[in-house]
Amino acid sequence: MAPWGKRLAGVSGVLLDISGVLCDSGAGGGTAIAGSVEAVARLKRSRLKVRFCTNESQKSQAELVGQLRRLGFDISEGEVTAPAPAACQILKERGLRPYLLIHDGVRSEFDQIDTSNPNCVVIADAGESFSYQNMNNAFQVLMELENPVLISLGKGRYYKETSGLMLDVGPYMKALEYACGIKAEVVGKPSPEFFKSALQAIGVEAHQAVMIGDDIVGDVGGAQRCGMRALQVRTGKFRPSDEHHPEVKADGYVDNLAEAVDLLLQHADK
Amino acid sequence: MAPWGKRLAGVSGVLLDISGVLCDSGAGGGTAIAGSVEAVARLKRSRLKVRFCTNESQKSQAELVGQLRRLGFDISEGEVTAPAPAACQILKERGLRPYLLIHDGVRSEFDQIDTSNPNCVVIADAGESFSYQNMNNAFQVLMELENPVLISLGKGRYYKETSGLMLDVGPYMKALEYACGIKAEVVGKPSPEFFKSALQAIGVEAHQAVMIGDDIVGDVGGAQRCGMRALQVRTGKFRPSDEHHPEVKADGYVDNLAEAVDLLLQHADK
């Protein structure tokens, strides 16, 4: 067992990333990562509180949860913190009418949002919808505004599909930031507000919680900056160089979620 | 006449940007900017040496010059410094085989370049070819390389077509930089090597030269960092806020190329 396992003492809540930890996304709903279905089940049978904390923004929450349930995971919509609902709340509070540069799969989450005469841009992991035409539309909306507002659902660099590494929303967010000379507001990991809302949902303090993710910067670095502990799994987008990242060091590295859960169940109560 | 005109004393060579100074690009070859055809003719009748210095990378040099000649400009291929030929030279010198993320219009410039089994990416103003699929191909090539090399033909933020502002190569270069955690090598303005090669072509020293462009950062700032003087025209992508740019101040601002040439012919010899 990992000698650093004792760092997990006193953990009472666990935030789980989804893509790359539970499953690899891909055509037909993706595939479960070996051992992860059983690992989630064991976690949920323990006294630890569990919250799923994802930057998934290609699918509605209902579709995401449906796909995970079909893969065998014990998960319900009420257990997930995702960026689209958080963004909708911000849009309503601030009277913002977005141009939506998003994937069609997540469009239903914005059904209640006025998108006429846009006064901001919301960008998410749009996949094939990141056409030049759509990017230029978003750019032109921003350039017409006196105070351009760009809201980005996460800022991930890439993720892993069964077919290979795929560009995530972050590069496209950076493209619009540079084109317009502005800074985006990020809704999702690694935004501290986002981690805090996930912790609030399970009533756990940051110092009692651990984040488990495959993204050394967005998951591990983001959670640590909020005062949480964080483990990186060697699945999903993990690359060996992550263990020598110049800025972020995880509290521990595990082969997969199953190993993380073994260690948690052994050490968390101590 | 502008009180700063005396700053042009001692100029013996002029570098002229093309898009936004000579013409606005757009469907059917674009349109000449009022007064620019005559202004170029007057400059070329004077004792001043003239070089066209462009980041145009959607068209081959032959096509670019052909379009300008049809608009009435006195210009030949031998008078133009453009990034595609400069990039080809670098590729040959370093034995690089690029994945080309470029516009079909400029592809003929790379006819002599081996693109099999790519070991670098060349990105240019690809317009509609900036699809998600093509960006992801470039990203995957870079992520497979031990020492990823990304060569960008310019890094402009946007340019003006007759139909409105359009995203240039810069935002897409930034997207790949962020996705891969790398820094691109820029071939074209504002790279000092590029300005120097334009000056060498006319045998003029930087301190004797003036750059005339519509881009406050790429043209004006870039030229000034090379020791040249630089004027910004209020045509093309010029925006009033450029005159209060936080980092770059042009030696002078003129309404268009015609006014710049008036001032040059009046003051350069003094």
Side-chain angles (χ1 to χ4, degrees), chain A residues 127-128 130-133 135-136 139-140 143 155-159 164-168 170-172 174-175 178-181 239, chain B residues 127-128 130-133 135-136 139-140 143 155-159 164-168 170-172 174-175 178-181 239:
Chain A
E128 299 286 346
F130 279 132
S131 64
Y132 183 72
Q133 181 69 58
M135 280 289 283
N136 216 55
F139 164 67
Q140 289 180 348
M143 290 296 274
K155 60 172 189 176
R157 292 159 60 198
Y158 55 85
Y159 53 92
L165 297 183
M166 308 290 282
L167 287 169
D168 198 351
Y172 287 92
K174 289 286 177 186
Y178 177 73
C180 304
R239 288 157 65 95
Chain B
E128 298 286 345
F130 280 133
S131 64
Y132 182 72
Q133 181 69 57
M135 280 289 284
N136 216 55
F139 163 67
Q140 290 179 349
M143 290 297 274
K155 61 173 190 176
R157 293 160 58 197
Y158 55 85
Y159 53 90
L165 297 182
M166 307 292 283
L167 287 169
D168 198 353
Y172 288 92
K174 289 285 176 186
Y178 177 73
C180 305
R239 289 158 63 98

Short mmCIF file of all heavy atoms in Angstrom, two decimals, chain A residues 127-128 130-133 135-136 139-140 143 155-159 164-168 170-172 174-175 178-181 239, chain B residues 127-128 130-133 135-136 139-140 143 155-159 164-168 170-172 174-175 178-181 239:
data_model
loop_
_atom_site.label_atom_id
_atom_site.label_comp_id
_atom_site.label_asym_id
_atom_site.label_seq_id
_atom_site.Cartn_x
_atom_site.Cartn_y
_atom_site.Cartn_z
N GLY A 127 -17.12 20.78 -28.97
CA GLY A 127 -16.74 19.73 -29.93
C GLY A 127 -16.80 20.25 -31.36
O GLY A 127 -16.29 21.34 -31.68
N GLU A 128 -17.45 19.51 -32.23
CA GLU A 128 -17.52 19.86 -33.65
C GLU A 128 -18.16 21.23 -33.88
O GLU A 128 -18.00 21.83 -34.95
CB GLU A 128 -18.30 18.80 -34.43
CG GLU A 128 -17.71 17.40 -34.41
CD GLU A 128 -16.48 17.29 -35.30
OE1 GLU A 128 -16.24 18.19 -36.11
OE2 GLU A 128 -15.74 16.29 -35.14
N PHE A 130 -17.28 23.87 -32.57
CA PHE A 130 -16.21 24.88 -32.59
C PHE A 130 -15.78 25.12 -34.03
O PHE A 130 -14.62 24.92 -34.39
CB PHE A 130 -15.01 24.45 -31.75
CG PHE A 130 -15.16 24.68 -30.27
CD1 PHE A 130 -14.86 23.67 -29.36
CD2 PHE A 130 -15.59 25.91 -29.79
CE1 PHE A 130 -14.98 23.89 -27.99
CE2 PHE A 130 -15.70 26.13 -28.42
CZ PHE A 130 -15.41 25.12 -27.52
N SER A 131 -16.72 25.50 -34.89
CA SER A 131 -16.39 25.85 -36.27
C SER A 131 -15.85 27.27 -36.30
O SER A 131 -16.04 28.06 -35.36
CB SER A 131 -17.64 25.78 -37.13
OG SER A 131 -18.57 26.77 -36.69
N TYR A 132 -15.18 27.63 -37.40
CA TYR A 132 -14.69 29.01 -37.54
C TYR A 132 -15.86 29.99 -37.50
O TYR A 132 -15.79 31.04 -36.87
CB TYR A 132 -13.92 29.16 -38.86
CG TYR A 132 -13.33 30.54 -39.04
CD1 TYR A 132 -12.24 30.94 -38.28
CD2 TYR A 132 -13.87 31.44 -39.95
CE1 TYR A 132 -11.70 32.21 -38.43
CE2 TYR A 132 -13.33 32.71 -40.10
CZ TYR A 132 -12.24 33.08 -39.34
OH TYR A 132 -11.71 34.33 -39.49
N GLN A 133 -16.94 29.61 -38.17
CA GLN A 133 -18.12 30.48 -38.21
C GLN A 133 -18.66 30.76 -36.80
O GLN A 133 -18.90 31.92 -36.43
CB GLN A 133 -19.20 29.81 -39.06
CG GLN A 133 -20.47 30.61 -39.23
CD GLN A 133 -20.26 31.84 -40.08
OE1 GLN A 133 -19.83 31.73 -41.23
NE2 GLN A 133 -20.53 33.02 -39.54
N MET A 135 -17.10 30.41 -33.89
CA MET A 135 -16.10 31.16 -33.11
C MET A 135 -16.12 32.63 -33.52
O MET A 135 -16.03 33.53 -32.68
CB MET A 135 -14.70 30.58 -33.33
CG MET A 135 -14.40 29.34 -32.52
SD MET A 135 -14.21 29.70 -30.75
CE MET A 135 -12.54 30.41 -30.74
N ASN A 136 -16.25 32.88 -34.81
CA ASN A 136 -16.26 34.27 -35.28
C ASN A 136 -17.54 34.99 -34.83
O ASN A 136 -17.50 36.18 -34.50
CB ASN A 136 -16.12 34.29 -36.81
CG ASN A 136 -15.30 35.46 -37.28
OD1 ASN A 136 -14.17 35.63 -36.83
ND2 ASN A 136 -15.85 36.29 -38.13
N PHE A 139 -16.89 35.93 -31.29
CA PHE A 139 -15.92 37.03 -31.30
C PHE A 139 -16.60 38.36 -31.65
O PHE A 139 -16.39 39.38 -30.98
CB PHE A 139 -14.82 36.68 -32.32
CG PHE A 139 -13.96 37.83 -32.74
CD1 PHE A 139 -13.10 38.44 -31.85
CD2 PHE A 139 -13.99 38.28 -34.06
CE1 PHE A 139 -12.29 39.50 -32.26
CE2 PHE A 139 -13.18 39.33 -34.47
CZ PHE A 139 -12.34 39.95 -33.57
N GLN A 140 -17.44 38.33 -32.66
CA GLN A 140 -18.10 39.59 -33.09
C GLN A 140 -19.06 40.09 -32.02
O GLN A 140 -19.16 41.30 -31.79
CB GLN A 140 -18.79 39.38 -34.44
CG GLN A 140 -17.78 39.22 -35.58
CD GLN A 140 -18.42 39.00 -36.95
OE1 GLN A 140 -19.61 38.75 -37.06
NE2 GLN A 140 -17.62 39.11 -38.00
N MET A 143 -16.87 41.78 -29.41
CA MET A 143 -16.24 43.03 -29.86
C MET A 143 -17.25 44.18 -29.95
O MET A 143 -16.86 45.35 -29.97
CB MET A 143 -15.56 42.82 -31.21
CG MET A 143 -14.32 41.94 -31.14
SD MET A 143 -12.96 42.62 -30.15
CE MET A 143 -12.13 43.64 -31.38
N LYS A 155 -12.12 25.19 -17.95
CA LYS A 155 -11.05 25.68 -18.82
C LYS A 155 -10.05 24.56 -19.09
O LYS A 155 -8.86 24.79 -19.26
CB LYS A 155 -10.36 26.92 -18.23
CG LYS A 155 -9.71 26.73 -16.87
CD LYS A 155 -8.92 27.99 -16.53
CE LYS A 155 -8.07 27.79 -15.30
NZ LYS A 155 -7.22 28.95 -14.99
N GLY A 156 -10.56 23.33 -19.14
CA GLY A 156 -9.72 22.16 -19.37
C GLY A 156 -9.00 22.26 -20.70
O GLY A 156 -9.51 22.84 -21.66
N ARG A 157 -7.79 21.70 -20.77
CA ARG A 157 -7.00 21.73 -21.99
C ARG A 157 -7.47 20.65 -22.96
O ARG A 157 -7.63 20.90 -24.15
CB ARG A 157 -5.53 21.54 -21.67
CG ARG A 157 -4.94 22.74 -20.90
CD ARG A 157 -3.67 22.37 -20.16
NE ARG A 157 -2.66 21.90 -21.08
CZ ARG A 157 -1.58 21.19 -20.72
NH1 ARG A 157 -1.40 20.85 -19.46
NH2 ARG A 157 -0.70 20.81 -21.62
N TYR A 158 -7.66 19.46 -22.47
CA TYR A 158 -8.09 18.36 -23.33
C TYR A 158 -8.64 17.25 -22.46
O TYR A 158 -8.48 17.25 -21.24
CB TYR A 158 -6.93 17.84 -24.19
CG TYR A 158 -5.72 17.41 -23.41
CD1 TYR A 158 -5.61 16.14 -22.87
CD2 TYR A 158 -4.67 18.31 -23.18
CE1 TYR A 158 -4.51 15.76 -22.14
CE2 TYR A 158 -3.56 17.94 -22.45
CZ TYR A 158 -3.49 16.67 -21.92
OH TYR A 158 -2.39 16.30 -21.19
N TYR A 159 -9.30 16.31 -23.09
CA TYR A 159 -9.77 15.13 -22.37
C TYR A 159 -9.55 13.92 -23.27
O TYR A 159 -9.20 14.07 -24.44
CB TYR A 159 -11.24 15.26 -21.95
CG TYR A 159 -12.17 15.60 -23.08
CD1 TYR A 159 -12.82 14.61 -23.80
CD2 TYR A 159 -12.40 16.93 -23.43
CE1 TYR A 159 -13.67 14.93 -24.84
CE2 TYR A 159 -13.25 17.26 -24.47
CZ TYR A 159 -13.88 16.25 -25.17
OH TYR A 159 -14.71 16.57 -26.21
N GLY A 164 -9.00 8.85 -28.60
CA GLY A 164 -7.76 9.63 -28.44
C GLY A 164 -8.01 10.93 -27.67
O GLY A 164 -9.12 11.18 -27.20
N LEU A 165 -6.96 11.74 -27.56
CA LEU A 165 -7.07 13.02 -26.85
C LEU A 165 -7.86 14.01 -27.69
O LEU A 165 -7.68 14.11 -28.90
CB LEU A 165 -5.69 13.59 -26.55
CG LEU A 165 -4.78 12.76 -25.63
CD1 LEU A 165 -3.46 13.49 -25.38
CD2 LEU A 165 -5.47 12.47 -24.30
N MET A 166 -8.74 14.76 -27.05
CA MET A 166 -9.59 15.73 -27.74
C MET A 166 -9.48 17.09 -27.07
O MET A 166 -9.45 17.20 -25.84
CB MET A 166 -11.06 15.29 -27.65
CG MET A 166 -11.33 13.87 -28.10
SD MET A 166 -11.13 13.66 -29.88
CE MET A 166 -12.67 14.35 -30.46
N LEU A 167 -9.46 18.15 -27.88
CA LEU A 167 -9.41 19.51 -27.35
C LEU A 167 -10.67 19.80 -26.53
O LEU A 167 -11.79 19.56 -26.98
CB LEU A 167 -9.33 20.52 -28.49
CG LEU A 167 -8.00 20.61 -29.23
CD1 LEU A 167 -8.16 21.44 -30.50
CD2 LEU A 167 -6.93 21.21 -28.33
N ASP A 168 -10.47 20.37 -25.37
CA ASP A 168 -11.57 20.76 -24.47
C ASP A 168 -11.86 22.25 -24.67
O ASP A 168 -11.30 22.89 -25.59
CB ASP A 168 -11.14 20.44 -23.03
CG ASP A 168 -12.31 20.39 -22.06
OD1 ASP A 168 -13.43 20.75 -22.43
OD2 ASP A 168 -12.07 20.00 -20.90
N GLY A 170 -10.99 24.86 -22.87
CA GLY A 170 -9.95 25.82 -22.46
C GLY A 170 -9.23 26.49 -23.62
O GLY A 170 -9.09 27.72 -23.65
N PRO A 171 -8.72 25.72 -24.60
CA PRO A 171 -8.03 26.35 -25.73
C PRO A 171 -8.90 27.37 -26.46
O PRO A 171 -8.41 28.42 -26.88
CB PRO A 171 -7.68 25.15 -26.61
CG PRO A 171 -7.57 24.00 -25.65
CD PRO A 171 -8.61 24.26 -24.61
N TYR A 172 -10.17 27.07 -26.61
CA TYR A 172 -11.06 27.99 -27.32
C TYR A 172 -11.38 29.22 -26.46
O TYR A 172 -11.55 30.32 -26.99
CB TYR A 172 -12.32 27.25 -27.78
CG TYR A 172 -12.02 26.32 -28.93
CD1 TYR A 172 -11.68 25.00 -28.72
CD2 TYR A 172 -12.01 26.79 -30.24
CE1 TYR A 172 -11.35 24.16 -29.78
CE2 TYR A 172 -11.69 25.96 -31.30
CZ TYR A 172 -11.36 24.66 -31.07
OH TYR A 172 -11.03 23.84 -32.12
N LYS A 174 -9.19 30.48 -24.41
CA LYS A 174 -7.96 31.28 -24.56
C LYS A 174 -7.95 32.02 -25.89
O LYS A 174 -7.48 33.16 -25.98
CB LYS A 174 -6.73 30.37 -24.48
CG LYS A 174 -6.45 29.82 -23.10
CD LYS A 174 -5.89 30.89 -22.18
CE LYS A 174 -5.68 30.35 -20.77
NZ LYS A 174 -5.27 31.42 -19.83
N ALA A 175 -8.46 31.37 -26.94
CA ALA A 175 -8.51 32.02 -28.26
C ALA A 175 -9.35 33.29 -28.20
O ALA A 175 -8.92 34.34 -28.69
CB ALA A 175 -9.07 31.04 -29.30
N TYR A 178 -7.65 36.09 -26.11
CA TYR A 178 -6.59 36.77 -26.85
C TYR A 178 -7.16 37.66 -27.95
O TYR A 178 -6.74 38.81 -28.12
CB TYR A 178 -5.66 35.72 -27.46
CG TYR A 178 -4.54 36.28 -28.32
CD1 TYR A 178 -3.46 36.94 -27.73
CD2 TYR A 178 -4.56 36.14 -29.70
CE1 TYR A 178 -2.42 37.44 -28.52
CE2 TYR A 178 -3.53 36.63 -30.49
CZ TYR A 178 -2.47 37.29 -29.89
OH TYR A 178 -1.45 37.78 -30.67
N ALA A 179 -8.16 37.14 -28.67
CA ALA A 179 -8.73 37.91 -29.78
C ALA A 179 -9.33 39.22 -29.29
O ALA A 179 -9.21 40.26 -29.95
CB ALA A 179 -9.79 37.08 -30.51
N CYS A 180 -9.97 39.18 -28.12
CA CYS A 180 -10.71 40.36 -27.62
C CYS A 180 -9.93 41.14 -26.56
O CYS A 180 -10.41 42.20 -26.12
CB CYS A 180 -12.05 39.94 -27.04
SG CYS A 180 -13.08 39.01 -28.21
N GLY A 181 -8.79 40.61 -26.11
CA GLY A 181 -8.06 41.28 -25.04
C GLY A 181 -8.84 41.30 -23.73
O GLY A 181 -8.86 42.32 -23.03
N ARG A 239 -0.98 11.56 -17.78
CA ARG A 239 0.24 11.27 -18.51
C ARG A 239 1.38 11.16 -17.49
O ARG A 239 1.38 11.88 -16.49
CB ARG A 239 0.56 12.40 -19.51
CG ARG A 239 -0.40 12.41 -20.72
CD ARG A 239 -0.45 13.78 -21.37
NE ARG A 239 0.81 14.18 -21.96
CZ ARG A 239 1.13 14.02 -23.26
NH1 ARG A 239 0.27 13.48 -24.09
NH2 ARG A 239 2.29 14.44 -23.72
N GLY B 127 -8.89 30.45 -41.85
CA GLY B 127 -10.30 30.77 -42.08
C GLY B 127 -11.19 29.58 -41.77
O GLY B 127 -11.06 28.93 -40.72
N GLU B 128 -12.08 29.25 -42.69
CA GLU B 128 -13.05 28.17 -42.47
C GLU B 128 -12.36 26.82 -42.21
O GLU B 128 -12.98 25.89 -41.69
CB GLU B 128 -13.97 28.03 -43.70
CG GLU B 128 -14.82 29.24 -44.01
CD GLU B 128 -15.97 29.40 -43.04
OE1 GLU B 128 -16.27 28.45 -42.30
OE2 GLU B 128 -16.55 30.50 -43.00
N PHE B 130 -10.27 26.30 -40.02
CA PHE B 130 -10.11 26.14 -38.57
C PHE B 130 -11.30 25.36 -38.02
O PHE B 130 -12.03 25.85 -37.16
CB PHE B 130 -9.99 27.49 -37.87
CG PHE B 130 -8.62 28.12 -37.94
CD1 PHE B 130 -8.47 29.45 -38.29
CD2 PHE B 130 -7.48 27.39 -37.61
CE1 PHE B 130 -7.22 30.05 -38.34
CE2 PHE B 130 -6.22 27.98 -37.66
CZ PHE B 130 -6.09 29.31 -38.02
N SER B 131 -11.52 24.16 -38.53
CA SER B 131 -12.58 23.30 -37.99
C SER B 131 -12.07 22.62 -36.72
O SER B 131 -10.86 22.56 -36.47
CB SER B 131 -12.95 22.24 -39.01
OG SER B 131 -11.83 21.39 -39.24
N TYR B 132 -12.99 22.08 -35.94
CA TYR B 132 -12.58 21.35 -34.73
C TYR B 132 -11.71 20.16 -35.12
O TYR B 132 -10.69 19.89 -34.49
CB TYR B 132 -13.81 20.87 -33.95
CG TYR B 132 -13.46 20.16 -32.68
CD1 TYR B 132 -12.96 20.86 -31.59
CD2 TYR B 132 -13.60 18.78 -32.55
CE1 TYR B 132 -12.61 20.21 -30.41
CE2 TYR B 132 -13.26 18.12 -31.39
CZ TYR B 132 -12.76 18.84 -30.31
OH TYR B 132 -12.42 18.20 -29.15
N GLN B 133 -12.11 19.49 -36.20
CA GLN B 133 -11.38 18.31 -36.65
C GLN B 133 -9.92 18.67 -36.99
O GLN B 133 -8.99 18.00 -36.55
CB GLN B 133 -12.08 17.73 -37.89
CG GLN B 133 -11.43 16.49 -38.44
CD GLN B 133 -11.60 15.31 -37.50
OE1 GLN B 133 -12.71 14.95 -37.15
NE2 GLN B 133 -10.49 14.72 -37.07
N MET B 135 -8.18 21.36 -36.05
CA MET B 135 -7.47 21.81 -34.85
C MET B 135 -7.07 20.59 -34.01
O MET B 135 -5.97 20.53 -33.45
CB MET B 135 -8.36 22.75 -34.03
CG MET B 135 -8.41 24.16 -34.54
SD MET B 135 -6.84 25.05 -34.25
CE MET B 135 -6.98 25.40 -32.48
N ASN B 136 -7.98 19.63 -33.90
CA ASN B 136 -7.68 18.44 -33.09
C ASN B 136 -6.57 17.60 -33.74
O ASN B 136 -5.73 17.04 -33.04
CB ASN B 136 -8.96 17.62 -32.90
CG ASN B 136 -9.00 16.98 -31.52
OD1 ASN B 136 -8.89 17.68 -30.52
ND2 ASN B 136 -9.12 15.68 -31.47
N PHE B 139 -3.40 19.33 -32.83
CA PHE B 139 -3.16 19.09 -31.40
C PHE B 139 -2.59 17.70 -31.17
O PHE B 139 -1.60 17.52 -30.45
CB PHE B 139 -4.49 19.28 -30.65
CG PHE B 139 -4.54 18.72 -29.28
CD1 PHE B 139 -3.76 19.24 -28.27
CD2 PHE B 139 -5.39 17.65 -28.98
CE1 PHE B 139 -3.82 18.71 -26.98
CE2 PHE B 139 -5.46 17.12 -27.71
CZ PHE B 139 -4.66 17.65 -26.71
N GLN B 140 -3.18 16.70 -31.83
CA GLN B 140 -2.72 15.33 -31.62
C GLN B 140 -1.31 15.12 -32.18
O GLN B 140 -0.50 14.40 -31.57
CB GLN B 140 -3.71 14.34 -32.25
CG GLN B 140 -5.04 14.29 -31.48
CD GLN B 140 -6.06 13.34 -32.07
OE1 GLN B 140 -5.89 12.85 -33.17
NE2 GLN B 140 -7.14 13.09 -31.33
N MET B 143 1.00 16.60 -29.54
CA MET B 143 1.05 15.84 -28.28
C MET B 143 1.84 14.53 -28.43
O MET B 143 2.28 13.96 -27.44
CB MET B 143 -0.36 15.54 -27.78
CG MET B 143 -1.10 16.77 -27.28
SD MET B 143 -0.35 17.57 -25.83
CE MET B 143 -1.09 16.61 -24.50
N LYS B 155 0.78 36.38 -35.72
CA LYS B 155 -0.02 36.09 -34.51
C LYS B 155 -1.09 37.16 -34.34
O LYS B 155 -1.46 37.51 -33.22
CB LYS B 155 0.87 35.94 -33.28
CG LYS B 155 1.68 37.17 -32.91
CD LYS B 155 2.36 36.92 -31.56
CE LYS B 155 2.98 38.20 -31.02
NZ LYS B 155 3.56 38.01 -29.68
N GLY B 156 -1.58 37.69 -35.47
CA GLY B 156 -2.60 38.73 -35.43
C GLY B 156 -3.85 38.25 -34.72
O GLY B 156 -4.20 37.08 -34.77
N ARG B 157 -4.54 39.17 -34.05
CA ARG B 157 -5.76 38.82 -33.32
C ARG B 157 -6.94 38.76 -34.29
O ARG B 157 -7.76 37.84 -34.22
CB ARG B 157 -6.03 39.87 -32.24
CG ARG B 157 -4.98 39.84 -31.13
CD ARG B 157 -4.96 41.14 -30.35
NE ARG B 157 -6.26 41.41 -29.76
CZ ARG B 157 -6.65 42.59 -29.30
NH1 ARG B 157 -5.84 43.63 -29.37
NH2 ARG B 157 -7.84 42.76 -28.78
N TYR B 158 -7.06 39.72 -35.17
CA TYR B 158 -8.18 39.73 -36.11
C TYR B 158 -7.85 40.70 -37.23
O TYR B 158 -6.90 41.49 -37.14
CB TYR B 158 -9.49 40.15 -35.43
CG TYR B 158 -9.43 41.46 -34.71
CD1 TYR B 158 -9.65 42.66 -35.38
CD2 TYR B 158 -9.12 41.53 -33.36
CE1 TYR B 158 -9.57 43.87 -34.73
CE2 TYR B 158 -9.04 42.74 -32.70
CZ TYR B 158 -9.27 43.91 -33.38
OH TYR B 158 -9.19 45.12 -32.73
N TYR B 159 -8.62 40.61 -38.30
CA TYR B 159 -8.48 41.57 -39.38
C TYR B 159 -9.86 41.95 -39.85
O TYR B 159 -10.87 41.36 -39.43
CB TYR B 159 -7.63 41.00 -40.52
CG TYR B 159 -8.09 39.67 -41.05
CD1 TYR B 159 -8.99 39.58 -42.10
CD2 TYR B 159 -7.64 38.49 -40.47
CE1 TYR B 159 -9.43 38.36 -42.57
CE2 TYR B 159 -8.08 37.25 -40.93
CZ TYR B 159 -8.97 37.20 -41.98
OH TYR B 159 -9.42 35.98 -42.43
N GLY B 164 -16.88 42.48 -42.11
CA GLY B 164 -16.73 42.68 -40.67
C GLY B 164 -15.41 42.14 -40.16
O GLY B 164 -14.56 41.69 -40.93
N LEU B 165 -15.24 42.18 -38.81
CA LEU B 165 -14.00 41.69 -38.20
C LEU B 165 -13.97 40.16 -38.24
O LEU B 165 -14.97 39.50 -37.98
CB LEU B 165 -13.89 42.17 -36.75
CG LEU B 165 -13.81 43.69 -36.54
CD1 LEU B 165 -13.66 44.02 -35.05
CD2 LEU B 165 -12.67 44.31 -37.33
N MET B 166 -12.80 39.62 -38.54
CA MET B 166 -12.63 38.17 -38.67
C MET B 166 -11.45 37.72 -37.81
O MET B 166 -10.40 38.37 -37.79
CB MET B 166 -12.33 37.80 -40.12
CG MET B 166 -13.31 38.33 -41.13
SD MET B 166 -14.95 37.58 -41.03
CE MET B 166 -14.63 36.01 -41.82
N LEU B 167 -11.60 36.57 -37.15
CA LEU B 167 -10.51 36.00 -36.36
C LEU B 167 -9.32 35.66 -37.25
O LEU B 167 -9.47 35.01 -38.28
CB LEU B 167 -10.98 34.72 -35.66
CG LEU B 167 -11.93 34.91 -34.48
CD1 LEU B 167 -12.52 33.56 -34.07
CD2 LEU B 167 -11.25 35.59 -33.31
N ASP B 168 -8.15 36.07 -36.80
CA ASP B 168 -6.89 35.79 -37.51
C ASP B 168 -6.24 34.55 -36.88
O ASP B 168 -6.83 33.89 -36.02
CB ASP B 168 -6.01 37.04 -37.41
CG ASP B 168 -4.88 37.06 -38.44
OD1 ASP B 168 -4.67 36.05 -39.14
OD2 ASP B 168 -4.20 38.10 -38.53
N GLY B 170 -3.76 34.31 -34.76
CA GLY B 170 -3.27 34.44 -33.38
C GLY B 170 -4.11 33.69 -32.35
O GLY B 170 -3.56 32.94 -31.52
N PRO B 171 -5.42 33.88 -32.36
CA PRO B 171 -6.24 33.17 -31.37
C PRO B 171 -6.09 31.65 -31.46
O PRO B 171 -6.05 30.96 -30.44
CB PRO B 171 -7.67 33.60 -31.72
CG PRO B 171 -7.49 34.97 -32.35
CD PRO B 171 -6.20 34.88 -33.11
N TYR B 172 -5.96 31.12 -32.66
CA TYR B 172 -5.82 29.67 -32.81
C TYR B 172 -4.42 29.20 -32.41
O TYR B 172 -4.26 28.10 -31.88
CB TYR B 172 -6.18 29.25 -34.25
CG TYR B 172 -7.67 29.35 -34.49
CD1 TYR B 172 -8.25 30.51 -34.99
CD2 TYR B 172 -8.51 28.30 -34.14
CE1 TYR B 172 -9.63 30.61 -35.17
CE2 TYR B 172 -9.88 28.39 -34.31
CZ TYR B 172 -10.44 29.54 -34.82
OH TYR B 172 -11.79 29.64 -34.98
N LYS B 174 -2.79 30.64 -29.98
CA LYS B 174 -2.89 30.64 -28.51
C LYS B 174 -3.62 29.40 -28.02
O LYS B 174 -3.28 28.84 -26.97
CB LYS B 174 -3.65 31.89 -28.03
CG LYS B 174 -2.87 33.18 -28.20
CD LYS B 174 -1.79 33.30 -27.14
CE LYS B 174 -0.94 34.54 -27.35
NZ LYS B 174 0.20 34.60 -26.42
N ALA B 175 -4.64 28.96 -28.76
CA ALA B 175 -5.39 27.76 -28.36
C ALA B 175 -4.46 26.55 -28.32
O ALA B 175 -4.47 25.78 -27.34
CB ALA B 175 -6.54 27.53 -29.34
N TYR B 178 -1.89 26.75 -25.42
CA TYR B 178 -2.48 26.41 -24.12
C TYR B 178 -2.75 24.92 -24.04
O TYR B 178 -2.47 24.27 -23.02
CB TYR B 178 -3.77 27.21 -23.94
CG TYR B 178 -4.53 26.90 -22.67
CD1 TYR B 178 -4.06 27.33 -21.44
CD2 TYR B 178 -5.73 26.18 -22.71
CE1 TYR B 178 -4.76 27.06 -20.27
CE2 TYR B 178 -6.43 25.91 -21.55
CZ TYR B 178 -5.94 26.35 -20.33
OH TYR B 178 -6.65 26.08 -19.18
N ALA B 179 -3.31 24.34 -25.12
CA ALA B 179 -3.67 22.92 -25.10
C ALA B 179 -2.43 22.05 -24.85
O ALA B 179 -2.50 21.06 -24.12
CB ALA B 179 -4.34 22.52 -26.41
N CYS B 180 -1.30 22.43 -25.44
CA CYS B 180 -0.10 21.59 -25.39
C CYS B 180 0.92 22.09 -24.36
O CYS B 180 1.94 21.41 -24.15
CB CYS B 180 0.57 21.54 -26.76
SG CYS B 180 -0.52 20.99 -28.07
N GLY B 181 0.68 23.24 -23.76
CA GLY B 181 1.65 23.78 -22.81
C GLY B 181 2.96 24.15 -23.49
O GLY B 181 4.04 23.88 -22.94
N ARG B 239 -9.05 50.88 -34.53
CA ARG B 239 -10.16 51.26 -33.65
C ARG B 239 -9.71 52.46 -32.85
O ARG B 239 -8.54 52.56 -32.47
CB ARG B 239 -10.53 50.11 -32.70
CG ARG B 239 -11.21 48.93 -33.42
CD ARG B 239 -11.10 47.64 -32.64
NE ARG B 239 -11.78 47.70 -31.36
CZ ARG B 239 -13.01 47.21 -31.14
NH1 ARG B 239 -13.68 46.63 -32.11
NH2 ARG B 239 -13.56 47.29 -29.95
#
